[in-house]
Amino acid sequence: MDKIRIRGGRTLRGEVMIHGAKNAALPLMAASLLTDETLTLGNLPHLADITTLVHLLGQHGVIISMDGGAPNGGHDGRVLGLRAERITRTIAPYEIVRKMRASVLVLGPLLAREGTATVSLPGGCAIGTRPIDLHLAALEQMGARIELKGGYVHALAPTGGLRGAEIRFPTVSVGATENILMAATLAKGTTVLHNAAREPEVTDLAHCLVAMGAAIEGIGTDCLTIEGRDRLHAADYTVLPDRIEAGTYAFAAAITGGEIEVVGGRVDHLDAAIGALQAAGVSVTPSARGLKVKGQGRLKAVDITTQPFPGFPTDLQAQFMALMTLADGASMITETIFENRFMHVPELARMGADITVRGNTALVHGVPALRGAPVMATDLRASVSMVLAALAAEGETIVNRVYHLDRGYERIEERLRACGADIERLPE
Ligand code: UD1
């Protein structure tokens, strides 16, 4: 397995172009199952998770063309054409779902279009148990019969197809909102989703579904009303820029006291993270192409609590903690979304960080310096938090198990190197 070697202490300067958002691209690709016509998606990132979903959709019968099968109408990044003219298989097998939880997003579309779906349960993952009970309860409210057997969800729509329903999610779930939103576009009648997730990726999916002929009201709010349609049609859609990637590079500027223009970064998607950076003494200003981020002096300690959008994103919590390990003072970092999302703590401690965890809160006492060390991570955002810490640490850090990074950050070492980082990939 590849490793990444970082020699810390360089001040980063330059610009980083943000790619399409992985967490928007995945549901958008699953939405291709809702129509027999071609969905063309532009600005897709080159990431392992995208490839995993290409494999899954391929075995459902989706024909995937690299150029979108259509003229590249001003798209940046990779363009894919996804055509589910005929769904040949409604089973999502364990071998693929276990690699990536987001595979479960095929459940709603398959059930809505084919009336049946058999999807492997994703199981636990490094950041918690992450059940899919909210997805299943909502589908049952739409008339589906759900059975759990042999590690699989067997779902069957009633005769005549899924029915619209009034659904109130007990907690905010991005995946459940996306799955049910997709299913509702082809259901009979009206579906209302209360306490829906408002993440920009959910909004992006809703806009794409509208482009495919769906009728959705309340986009961008926590109440979505969907009028079911008999069929959806072809569309051409561009994936929004990745706010988590943008936030991560903004943090890279902050932790090294450097200056980076995050091209494609959007203030309206990063309000909470920008607020935290500014409170830490970092200058963040909108530019014509995105955001300019400039570290100035030692960071100040800031408390954060992760929340559903528009709150501070859980997917930036580990990275922010890396910053706070070097801040002047103590900061309290509270994780409210996932129960086991502090795996980066012992690894940051190996680099000299002073962190105490009690329940879902980490108390971080800033230290004057971190020291490089061999580290290893068990999830994507934890890995990148170690990269950030290493950029600012004295000496050399080796980040092991780089495949986690490759799931969410495209060519991260090349892009950091272009800003002056001393970083290289060591192939196995
Ligand atoms: C998505 C993102 C992930 C991000 C998370 C929260 C994708 C592919 N992944 O994950 O990067 O960290 O949103 O912003 O978009 N829950 C249940 N039952 C359910 C569903 C969720 O209890 O049926 C719980 C989860 O365990 C978690 C919380 O709800 O504690 C939020 O999870 P959810 O928003 O569903 O996260 P994902 O969609 O899996």
Side-chain angles (χ1 to χ4, degrees):
M1 217 171 286
D2 292 1
K3 298 171 181 184
I4 284 188
R5 180 173 62 205
I6 298 162
R7 297 194 179 101
R10 300 277 192 98
T11 301
L12 301 194
R13 286 185 207 287
E15 61 174 56
V16 177
M17 185 89 70
I18 299 308
H19 296 120
K22 166 178 87 74
N23 286 354
L26 297 172
L28 289 169
M29 290 167 69
S32 69
L33 292 165
L34 292 165
T35 173
D36 58 358
E37 298 183 8
T38 303
L39 176 63
T40 305
L41 296 176
N43 201 27
L44 288 169
H46 287 259
L47 295 171
D49 277 7
I50 302 293
T51 311
T52 302
L53 192 55
V54 162
H55 288 147
L56 181 62
L57 293 173
Q59 64 88 54
H60 289 310
V62 182
I63 313 261
I64 296 167
S65 50
M66 288 299 284
D67 59 356
N72 185 353
H75 285 304
D76 296 324
R78 179 162 63 177
V79 180
L80 282 186
L82 301 105
R83 186 177 179 85
E85 189 168 356
R86 221 165 50 81
I87 290 175
T88 51
R89 191 164 181 256
T90 54
I91 301 173
Y94 174 69
E95 298 74 56
I96 301 183
V97 179
R98 77 179 166 82
K99 282 198 209 152
M100 183 182 70
R101 280 184 50 83
S103 306
V104 85
L105 290 170
V106 300
L107 175 60
L110 284 175
L111 190 57
R113 170 127 173 244
E114 295 295 298
T116 176
T118 305
V119 175
S120 171
L121 282 164
C125 72
I127 61 175
T129 49
R130 294 178 86 177
I132 56 162
D133 55 320
L134 302 176
H135 306 230
L136 303 183
L139 290 171
E140 278 179 330
Q141 276 191 264
M142 299 175 81
R145 241 188 32 233
I146 307 277
E147 226 188 319
L148 302 181
K149 232 176 24 198
Y152 277 77
V153 177
H154 297 260
L156 201 61
T159 321
L162 291 175
R163 296 186 294 263
E166 178 121 6
I167 293 160
R168 188 170 296 277
F169 292 112
T171 48
V172 179
S173 162
V174 173
T177 303
E178 292 168 342
N179 229 339
I180 306 309
L181 174 61
M182 288 190 277
T185 60
L186 290 181
K188 302 273 169 293
T190 307
T191 300
V192 185
L193 302 181
H194 299 280
N195 202 23
R198 287 184 281 164
E199 269 63 7
E201 296 75 23
V202 175
T203 298
D204 210 37
L205 172 64
H207 285 306
C208 177
L209 291 169
V210 168
M212 295 167 73
I216 305 171
E217 274 175 33
I219 296 176
T221 75
D222 65 355
C223 180
L224 296 169
T225 304
I226 307 109
E227 200 74 55
R229 292 279 186 255
D230 289 338
R231 60 187 303 274
L232 300 185
H233 54 67
D236 189 338
Y237 196 79
T238 302
V239 180
L240 91 175
D242 194 319
R243 66 193 164 104
I244 304 301
E245 191 184 53
T248 303
Y249 286 106
F251 290 5
I255 201 168
T256 63
E259 186 169 3
I260 292 182
E261 182 169 17
V262 181
V263 178
R266 284 178 52 169
V267 176
D268 55 333
H269 290 172
L270 281 165
D271 239 1
I274 291 172
L277 277 180
Q278 287 171 333
V282 177
S283 150
V284 184
T285 45
S287 68
R289 300 187 302 160
L291 300 170
K292 276 209 170 117
V293 184
K294 187 171 180 210
Q296 29 203 15
R298 191 171 178 195
L299 294 162
K300 295 200 259 294
V302 178
D303 298 341
I304 57 149
T305 299
T306 62
Q307 297 285 352
F309 189 81
F312 192 97
T314 175
D315 285 350
L316 282 174
Q317 179 258 108
Q319 299 90 312
F320 195 75
M321 192 182 296
L323 264 57
M324 291 298 99
T325 62
L326 287 166
D328 184 12
S331 102
M332 257 195 1
I333 297 188
T334 306
E335 171 60 54
T336 72
I337 310 289
F338 293 111
E339 77 264 30
N340 184 25
R341 205 168 200 181
F342 284 142
M343 294 90 56
H344 40 288
V345 168
E347 299 298 310
L348 290 171
R350 289 164 48 70
M351 299 175 73
D354 177 355
I355 309 170
T356 315
V357 174
R358 281 221 179 80
N360 68 344
T361 295
L363 184 63
V364 186
H365 284 280
V367 293
L370 296 174
R371 290 176 308 276
V375 291
M376 182 162 85
T378 46
D379 98 336
L380 165 58
R381 309 302 171 185
S383 318
V384 85
S385 78
M386 280 154 221
V387 172
L388 291 179
L391 290 171
E394 293 165 359
E396 181 177 290
T397 297
I398 304 279
V399 182
N400 292 288
R401 284 210 193 174
V402 169
Y403 74 88
H404 285 297
L405 273 179
D406 292 337
R407 286 190 45 214
Y409 292 90
E410 193 176 326
R411 295 182 292 111
I412 187 169
E413 70 281 12
E414 285 174 36
R415 297 161 80 205
L416 288 171
R417 197 162 48 236
C419 293
D422 184 346
I423 177 169
E424 69 178 320
R425 182 178 289 253
L426 308 174
E428 187 176 58

